[in-house]
Amino acid sequence: MDKFVIGLDYGSDSARAIIVNALTGDTVATSVMNYPRWSKELYCDPAANQYRQHPLDYIETLEGTIRDALSKSPAGTAENVVGIAFDTTGSTPGFTDATGTPLAMLPEFAENPNAMFVLWKDHTAIKEAGEINDLCKKWDIDYSAYEGGIYSSEWFWAKALHILREDESVRSKAYSIVEYSEWLPALITGVNKCDGIIRSRCANGHKAMWHEKWGGLPSEEFLTALDPLLSGFRDRLFDETETADKPVGTLCEEWAKRLGLSTDVVVAGGAFDCHMGAVGAGITPYTFVRVIGTSTCDVMVASYEDIGHNLIKGICGQVDGSVIPGMIGLEAGQSGFGDIYAWFRRVLEFPLKNIIGKSNLIDEATKERLIAEAVDQIIPALTEEAEKIPVSESTIIATDWMNGRRTPDANQLLKGTITGLTLGSTAPRIFRALVEATAFGSKAIVNRFREEGVRIDNVIGIGGIALKSPFVMQTLSDVLNMSIKVCKTDQACALGAAMFAATAAGVYNKVEDAQQAMSSGFAREYHPNPENAKAYQEIYDKYIKLGQFTEKELFSA
């Protein structure tokens, strides 16, 4: 009898559910839904780097995607679903009351952004991250040691402290803090108290400075020295974490009914999207997996023997079991990748929306269709022209820090730069420079891993850009001077979640077995052009010099 599992992938803009045959890896159905409130840009202030998401967006897309996917599946599929697993963006924490309910679910906080989940790319906590870094270096234990040695404003404690300082109403009601990769499994298994939430090894090892070496989270003394507002939270949080291959429970009656499934369905532990995506891509030791989307997340796994006592500097952490249980998971990434291309598109949209949009020469319906068509074609048209420009004419140099820098060496104060502009600089030439900048940022990460003694033999790319943009991927291959395999599935993160669901449900004994049985394979492979690779090394050296100058001279604060 066939057994099916559901993998749920919660990204920055949308959630997707895939139903997979756990025995063959065949995808039966897929459903994708945008977050309703997020799509309207509610609760966000880009000028202040504030990005918040309402838990109702997560709930509505959870129910909507699963119901929709089941409706597309053969008769009898729902009755044979045995497991569910979630991956989410992160660090995306939110405050809860004592029942584990996010504060934004309470009537008095329904419209308060500070009571919502603080999305990974929210950089309102830069000041708090700096204070954490200063204290870590003064304390007898450097709690950031297993997180690359630099704590980021994108992470758990910085965000929590920022909200506590900013909002007295949240401060007075907040009992605990939860990542939504932990909250969603707790929600559908009927957990109704904070200490019943199973905590994620992945989320807390990489973002909350959790480590067995010092007994879990940073000490109460450290947290209260950081700010007395954190007093008591450690005791109300947790000591232990679990890897995502372990079940956290089964569907409660309410959610079984809402989803059209059985209460026998096993719910796996949650983890971050890039980590489960790496598993879905078929990660093994010495493989560098790039999850390429609005930002990038780079993931590797290494044996205990290979890592030993080495602390990899300037990355986003090394955590036992955060990717594959029994191995050390390594994480890095860029704070902006596809978002940088989207930014440039928005710049070019200005005359369309603000000149044509106000024109009286055409009717409103035609105007809207014309603008929509033009906006949709900006990136494809730029790509077509940028591809024609030889590397020898890549005289515009840009850095990829429009959303700060995640790795190597997190610094969210940094801003992007573009130099080498002339009166002959066209939009396609600037776009090519931005694509090259994102590739150079990738190379800086690869170089850091290698400098720290981490061996990289091959590269795998997953995500929409990896599948849909040969220009970006070929540029990346040339800059890295490495071949890159691209996963066949466009839902590698959700597929990875499905693999964890199958393992938690007992279909497989370990995640590696699920990988072997359920892998999608690869759609294509890019190989570096030797001449371009040589030329790009020289341009990369200029990128490094530009970065050093701008970081030192312009953003040294």
Side-chain angles (χ1 to χ4, degrees):
M1 180 184 293
D2 287 330
K3 294 182 179 180
F4 300 98
V5 288
I6 298 176
L8 288 142
D9 171 38
Y10 278 73
S12 297
D13 302 320
S14 59
R16 59 216 34 83
I18 64 169
I19 300 176
V20 181
N21 185 319
L23 303 180
T24 66
D26 294 333
T27 297
V28 176
T30 301
S31 178
V32 181
M33 287 183 62
N34 290 326
Y35 304 128
R37 294 157 191 79
W38 174 261
S39 297
K40 297 176 183 177
E41 300 181 353
L42 300 180
Y43 315 119
C44 298
D45 182 1
N49 287 314
Q50 175 182 303
Y51 297 96
R52 310 291 165 80
Q53 292 185 328
H54 202 293
L56 284 176
D57 272 357
Y58 303 152
I59 290 174
E60 290 167 14
T61 52
L62 165 63
E63 190 168 2
T65 56
I66 291 181
R67 283 283 188 180
D68 183 52
L70 286 171
S71 73
K72 300 173 182 176
S73 303
T77 299
E79 291 78 5
N80 290 301
V81 170
V82 297
I84 290 179
F86 294 89
D87 72 66
T88 75
T89 66
S91 178
T92 304
F95 284 100
T96 75
D97 65 11
T99 70
T101 301
L103 296 187
M105 298 292 290
L106 305 178
E108 64 268 35
F109 292 104
E111 299 297 319
N112 184 342
N114 292 325
M116 298 173 190
F117 284 96
V118 185
L119 190 64
W120 64 269
K121 69 178 181 179
D122 185 298
H123 290 163
T124 53
I126 288 175
K127 177 178 181 290
E128 287 75 13
E131 294 174 22
I132 291 171
N133 283 314
D134 290 343
L135 188 58
C136 280
K137 299 303 177 280
K138 298 173 184 176
W139 208 254
D140 57 344
I141 297 173
D142 182 357
Y143 289 112
S144 70
Y146 288 89
E147 293 181 303
I150 303 175
Y151 203 77
S152 169
S153 64
E154 294 184 352
W155 299 348
F156 184 94
W157 287 113
K159 289 177 172 178
L161 179 54
H162 178 77
I163 298 296
L164 289 172
R165 287 173 170 175
E166 186 172 81
D167 196 317
E168 193 278 333
S169 65
V170 169
R171 187 164 68 242
S172 65
K173 185 69 175 181
Y175 179 85
S176 190
I177 317 164
V178 68
E179 289 277 355
Y180 85 105
S181 58
E182 302 164 330
W183 174 66
L184 285 167
L187 173 73
I188 64 174
T189 53
V191 173
N192 57 14
K193 54 182 180 178
C194 277
D195 60 8
I197 298 174
I198 304 298
R199 300 297 185 152
S200 165
R201 174 73 53 82
C202 175
N204 294 294
H206 283 284
K207 313 302 182 187
M209 299 188 287
W210 181 94
H211 200 278
E212 288 180 328
K213 182 176 180 180
W214 44 73
L217 293 168
S219 69
E220 177 75 3
E221 292 75 19
F222 174 88
L223 294 173
T224 54
L226 183 61
D227 195 308
L229 291 178
L230 291 171
S231 175
F233 276 99
R234 190 189 192 282
D235 287 343
R236 299 194 297 270
L237 281 164
F238 54 91
D239 293 318
E240 300 299 324
T241 62
E242 296 290 351
T243 53
D245 59 320
K246 295 180 180 179
V248 301
T250 57
L251 281 179
C252 66
E253 287 189 15
E254 176 192 352
W255 275 98
K257 184 177 181 180
R258 290 177 71 165
L259 300 176
L261 297 170
S262 162
T263 54
D264 293 329
V265 174
V266 173
V267 181
F272 288 153
D273 47 4
C274 54
H275 299 75
M276 283 191 171
V279 171
I283 193 169
T284 56
Y286 316 122
T287 299
F288 183 71
V289 176
R290 307 217 76 213
V291 184
I292 306 173
T294 55
S295 64
T296 72
C297 193
D298 303 318
V299 177
M300 298 188 69
V301 294
S303 68
Y304 302 139
E305 293 75 20
D306 280 345
I307 290 295
H309 297 291
N310 293 341
L311 292 172
I312 313 303
K313 299 181 183 67
I315 65 170
C316 301
Q318 53 192 83
V319 178
D320 186 1
S322 66
V323 183
I324 294 178
M327 297 185 192
I328 303 296
L330 306 174
E331 179 194 342
Q334 293 162 272
S335 292
F337 200 96
D339 267 352
I340 294 175
Y341 312 152
W343 160 77
F344 191 52
R345 183 186 68 188
R346 289 194 299 274
V347 171
L348 299 181
E349 287 174 9
F350 180 85
L352 295 171
K353 294 184 175 180
N354 292 275
I355 298 176
I356 294 177
K358 297 176 182 178
S359 173
N360 296 319
L361 298 177
I362 52 178
D363 62 83
E364 289 299 320
T366 302
K367 192 188 305 180
E368 289 180 9
R369 291 197 302 271
L370 177 62
I371 293 173
E373 179 184 53
V375 167
D376 191 52
Q377 289 301 310
I378 288 175
I379 295 297
L382 287 171
T383 297
E384 183 178 353
E385 293 303 312
E387 285 181 305
K388 299 175 184 177
I389 302 169
V391 177
S392 60
E393 295 183 21
S394 291
T395 55
I396 302 173
I397 310 295
T399 58
D400 55 313
W401 301 338
M402 275 69 167
N403 197 30
R405 184 180 63 213
R406 182 177 296 158
T407 50
D409 304 321
N411 187 343
Q412 302 304 340
L413 288 170
L414 297 177
K415 307 292 188 293
T417 50
I418 304 175
T419 189
L421 296 170
T422 71
L423 294 177
S425 298
T426 62
R429 289 180 182 274
I430 296 172
F431 179 68
R432 184 180 182 98
L434 295 175
V435 170
E436 291 170 345
T438 54
F440 293 148
S442 309
K443 185 177 179 69
I445 294 169
V446 169
N447 286 358
R448 173 58 61 87
F449 272 122
R450 287 175 167 164
E451 289 163 3
E452 293 290 312
V454 178
R455 175 178 147 196
I456 299 176
D457 291 346
N458 51 78
V459 182
I460 296 174
I462 66 176
I465 291 176
L467 277 167
K468 297 174 184 177
S469 183
F471 171 53
V472 171
M473 297 309 294
Q474 185 60 56
T475 302
L476 184 59
S477 177
D478 290 345
V479 168
L480 294 181
N481 197 17
M482 295 183 71
S483 295
I484 304 174
K485 292 180 179 179
V486 176
C487 267
K488 186 181 296 182
T489 179
D490 62 348
Q491 303 294 353
C493 292
L495 178 60
M499 292 174 180
F500 277 93
T503 307
V507 179
Y508 299 102
N509 291 325
K510 56 183 181 178
V511 171
E512 294 96 317
D513 295 339
Q515 281 183 298
Q516 289 292 322
M518 300 171 68
S519 172
S520 72
F522 301 102
R524 65 175 299 178
E525 185 171 2
Y526 293 89
H527 300 283
N529 177 307
E531 292 183 4
N532 288 351
K534 182 179 179 181
Y536 272 135
Q537 180 58 52
E538 296 179 4
I539 301 172
Y540 174 74
D541 292 339
K542 296 177 182 177
Y543 162 88
I544 291 296
K545 290 179 181 177
L546 174 63
Q548 290 172 340
F549 171 78
T550 55
E551 184 168 5
K552 180 180 178 182
E553 301 297 331
L554 303 180
F555 305 112
S556 57

